[in-house]
Amino acid sequence: MAGNKDQRKPSWLSEHPFVNIALWSVAAIVLFILFLLILGGFDFRDPTFESIRSAIDPKHVTSAIAMLGIIPATGALVLKYQDELRNRADELRNRADEERKRADEERKNRDERRNEFSAALERIGSGGSAMSRLAGVHTLVAAADKYPKEYQDETVRILCAYLRSYHSKDDPVIESAVLESLRNHYAKDARPSWSGHRLDLHGATIGNPFDFDGCEFNETVNLDGATFEQDFRLADCSFERLTTRGTIFRQDPQISDPIINESWDIRLSGSSAEKLTITRGIIGKIRIFDASCPLSFDACTVKSIDIQEQGTINSINAGRGGTIESINAHNGTIKLINAGLHGTIKLINAGRYGTIGSIKVRRGTIESIEVDSGFIESINAGRYGTIGSIGVDGGVFGSIGVGPGTIGSIDIQELGTIKSIKIQEHGYVPLIKSCGGIGSLMIYGGGFVDELEMTGGVIHAFYPSANNGIRKLDLSGGRVALLIKPQDFELDVQNQNRVIRTVSLMTAITAPVLGSA
């Protein structure tokens, strides 16, 4: 064997110990005489019989014997070395035999396990009695628990494939057993755990309640196209990635305390659910393709919500102290965004071809709203609502309403347009700055603006409050097409030169409606 090559003894040793002893004895005699000659001063350059006899001196015998004392010890060592080599060779042979026996035994056991596993698999798909198929499920799971390296991944794939297949609706017991096995092994405290395996239920129809509370998924959970006929619960679960594109919920899903590290893909246009509410979640990125039902994120922390191309979303609600860092509508449509009770949305962006129907802030906060070639129909900073800033760059706002609430600033760039701004009922805007277009700007009913600065563009219709609702007014860079002036409102000369037409408030009120008789 290759493993014995390094253990072979030297070629000068015999297999027979007595032969080795004889050889060492002859060698000892020769060395003894050699030592006597060396001690007697023998001249090896002139080897004569006389010189040999004169060199051998009895007084050197003791010294020569002492020098030869190492010979027996050397012989003993040689014999011991020879025995050790022989024992080592026997040990290697025995070990090799044991390894062959173990390999044979393991091969036999593996074949038996595989046969048992295959038999269990046949029972599940045989169409036999429910008890037989149920036993097959338990046998598969037991094999995966006992031999995880061999059968764990395969068992997970088989159980998921069973749920994806057309299984008899008259046999919910088997489906329930499969769901229970998956749930128990994806639990955070499961031993052994299946959390490292992908849960793939795309296209499955689940007739039993789907309750996976307290589970951990370190791989993708794919629920694309799946249909859940009864309750759907995911509470206190952690995901690497969750995908629910085309998922149908017959009842409102209950999702609370989720942690989604990478992303969550949502498409719920065909769902019967009236709403999807996520509470106390920590989510990296949400990609929404479409959702006909409202999406609510209560007390959640969400890094970003991106509306995918041509996606349509009914509404997105953030409240109860939650935070959404950004909502991006690029080539998609959001009918309503609502920052509710103590909810915070840091950024809303209506990008190229993106459309947002309305944005409402009630007892919540939106830090920034940006429009870049997109369209927002209306914004309403309602009671105790706060908006940090609104920037319009090449996009269009339908209307902005403030009252009673606060918008930190409104900034309209050269190609931006806001059709209507109404600041009323104690609404407050510190700064309105525009070099774009404003259809109408109305400040009344206790509304207040610290500063209005026109660096360009046009306000087509401007109605300032009669009670000095604007602290500082600068129209030097733009124009007002029509000023509807209350009785006690006056402009300085410089600003008057920027107004094309002025009418009194009473004239505007009593003016006939165009097209009337």
Side-chain angles (χ1 to χ4, degrees):
M1 294 175 62
N4 295 337
K5 290 183 178 179
D6 294 336
Q7 305 298 330
R8 292 180 302 181
K9 58 182 177 297
S11 58
W12 44 270
L13 290 178
S14 171
E15 292 287 343
H16 306 286
F18 295 105
V19 174
N20 290 327
I21 293 174
L23 292 174
W24 280 104
S25 298
V26 172
I29 295 172
V30 173
L31 288 174
F32 175 73
I33 296 173
L34 182 62
F35 291 155
L36 287 177
L37 294 175
I38 293 173
L39 294 173
F42 176 70
D43 186 3
F44 289 91
R45 292 172 297 179
D46 186 19
T48 62
F49 179 77
E50 185 63 27
S51 62
I52 293 173
R53 190 178 63 177
S54 60
I56 296 176
D57 190 341
K59 67 181 182 179
H60 295 147
V61 171
T62 302
S63 298
I65 292 173
M67 295 176 68
L68 287 173
I70 62 174
I71 300 301
T74 304
L77 290 174
V78 170
L79 293 176
K80 183 177 180 181
Y81 177 61
Q82 187 177 31
D83 290 340
E84 288 182 354
L85 288 178
R86 186 180 294 107
N87 293 336
R88 179 62 176 168
D90 293 340
E91 180 181 349
L92 291 174
R93 282 193 294 270
N94 293 336
R95 185 179 301 173
D97 292 340
E98 291 176 359
E99 290 178 354
R100 280 194 297 270
K101 290 180 181 179
R102 280 198 299 268
D104 293 340
E105 186 68 22
E106 177 60 27
R107 190 180 301 108
K108 180 180 178 181
N109 292 337
R110 187 167 57 249
D111 291 342
E112 291 178 354
R113 293 196 301 268
R114 190 66 206 181
N115 292 335
E116 183 179 357
F117 190 85
S118 299
L121 183 59
E122 289 178 2
R123 272 187 285 179
I124 294 177
S126 65
S129 67
M131 291 300 297
S132 176
R133 284 180 287 147
L134 185 61
V137 171
H138 291 308
T139 301
L140 286 179
V141 173
D145 290 345
K146 190 173 182 180
Y147 309 104
K149 290 183 179 181
E150 291 181 64
Y151 300 121
Q152 192 174 95
D153 184 68
E154 187 175 0
T155 297
V156 174
R157 289 190 288 107
I158 290 171
L159 295 181
C160 289
Y162 174 81
L163 294 176
R164 294 197 306 268
S165 67
Y166 177 78
H167 46 281
S168 175
K169 295 185 178 181
D170 298 329
D171 193 14
V173 175
I174 308 302
E175 181 186 87
S176 177
V178 171
L179 290 172
E180 182 180 8
S181 298
L182 290 170
R183 180 179 62 248
N184 291 341
H185 287 83
Y186 277 105
K188 292 181 178 180
D189 57 353
R191 295 293 182 275
S193 173
W194 293 355
S195 62
H197 300 280
R198 176 186 177 98
L199 182 64
D200 187 0
L201 300 181
H202 75 274
T205 298
I206 309 299
N208 282 274
F210 189 87
D211 182 355
F212 273 62
D213 291 356
C215 289
E216 180 178 16
F217 305 94
N218 295 327
E219 289 289 338
T220 297
V221 176
N222 185 354
L223 305 181
D224 289 351
T227 299
F228 297 92
E229 301 286 354
Q230 298 191 46
D231 290 344
F232 179 94
R233 289 179 53 88
L234 290 175
D236 190 26
C237 293
S238 62
F239 303 83
E240 190 63 26
R241 184 169 182 265
L242 175 63
T243 172
T244 55
R245 290 180 290 187
T247 307
I248 297 175
F249 301 103
R250 299 301 185 194
Q251 301 182 30
D252 292 346
Q254 301 177 50
I255 302 176
S256 62
D257 302 283
I259 298 175
I260 303 176
N261 296 321
E262 187 176 329
S263 66
W264 180 8
D265 292 355
I266 298 176
R267 174 179 283 140
L268 299 176
S269 58
S271 179
S272 302
E274 295 182 359
K275 62 180 179 178
L276 172 59
T277 302
I278 303 94
T279 59
R280 300 180 302 277
I282 300 175
I283 304 172
K285 176 187 290 187
I286 298 177
R287 299 188 298 186
I288 304 178
F289 295 83
D290 50 55
S292 57
C293 63
L295 305 179
S296 296
F297 301 91
D298 292 343
C300 291
T301 299
V302 182
K303 185 174 182 180
S304 69
I305 298 177
D306 295 339
I307 312 306
Q308 301 302 297
E309 186 171 357
Q310 298 180 351
T312 299
I313 313 304
N314 184 292
S315 68
I316 296 176
N317 304 303
R320 297 186 182 178
T323 299
I324 299 176
E325 292 192 10
S326 67
I327 299 176
N328 304 298
H330 299 292
N331 298 304
T333 299
I334 306 175
K335 294 182 180 180
L336 169 66
I337 297 177
N338 182 28
L341 181 63
H342 305 302
T344 298
I345 300 174
K346 293 187 176 181
L347 171 64
I348 297 174
N349 185 9
R352 186 171 298 275
Y353 308 119
T355 299
I356 298 175
S358 63
I359 298 174
K360 296 181 179 180
V361 188
R362 293 222 180 7
R363 298 181 180 270
T365 300
I366 296 177
E367 295 185 3
S368 177
I369 299 174
E370 297 180 0
V371 183
D372 180 8
S373 301
F375 174 74
I376 296 179
E377 185 174 336
S378 68
I379 293 177
N380 185 3
R383 186 172 298 276
Y384 306 112
T386 300
I387 298 175
S389 66
I390 298 174
V392 187
D393 183 6
V396 177
F397 268 109
S399 65
I400 296 176
V402 189
T406 300
I407 295 178
S409 67
I410 300 174
D411 187 0
I412 308 169
Q413 299 300 309
E414 185 175 1
L415 299 177
T417 300
I418 296 180
K419 294 182 178 181
S420 172
I421 300 176
K422 294 181 181 180
I423 304 169
Q424 56 187 334
E425 296 180 10
H426 306 290
Y428 174 55
V429 180
L431 173 63
I432 299 176
K433 185 176 181 180
S434 176
C435 64
I438 299 177
S440 64
L441 173 59
M442 303 178 67
I443 305 169
Y444 63 98
F448 190 78
V449 175
D450 276 343
E451 181 177 357
L452 171 59
E453 180 183 359
M454 292 291 293
T455 60
V458 178
I459 299 177
H460 293 277
F462 179 29
Y463 170 67
S465 175
N467 58 355
N468 298 320
I470 302 177
R471 179 172 298 173
K472 180 180 179 182
L473 179 61
D474 182 3
L475 305 177
S476 60
R479 290 188 177 275
V480 174
L482 175 64
L483 172 63
I484 303 173
K485 188 175 78 68
Q487 185 175 0
D488 58 352
F489 182 83
E490 296 294 338
L491 291 174
D492 57 32
V493 175
Q494 184 178 4
N495 284 326
Q496 285 179 3
N497 292 333
R498 309 303 298 179
V499 177
I500 298 174
R501 182 186 173 198
T502 301
V503 299
S504 68
L505 176 60
M506 184 58 63
T507 301
I509 294 174
T510 60
V513 179
L514 291 177
S516 62

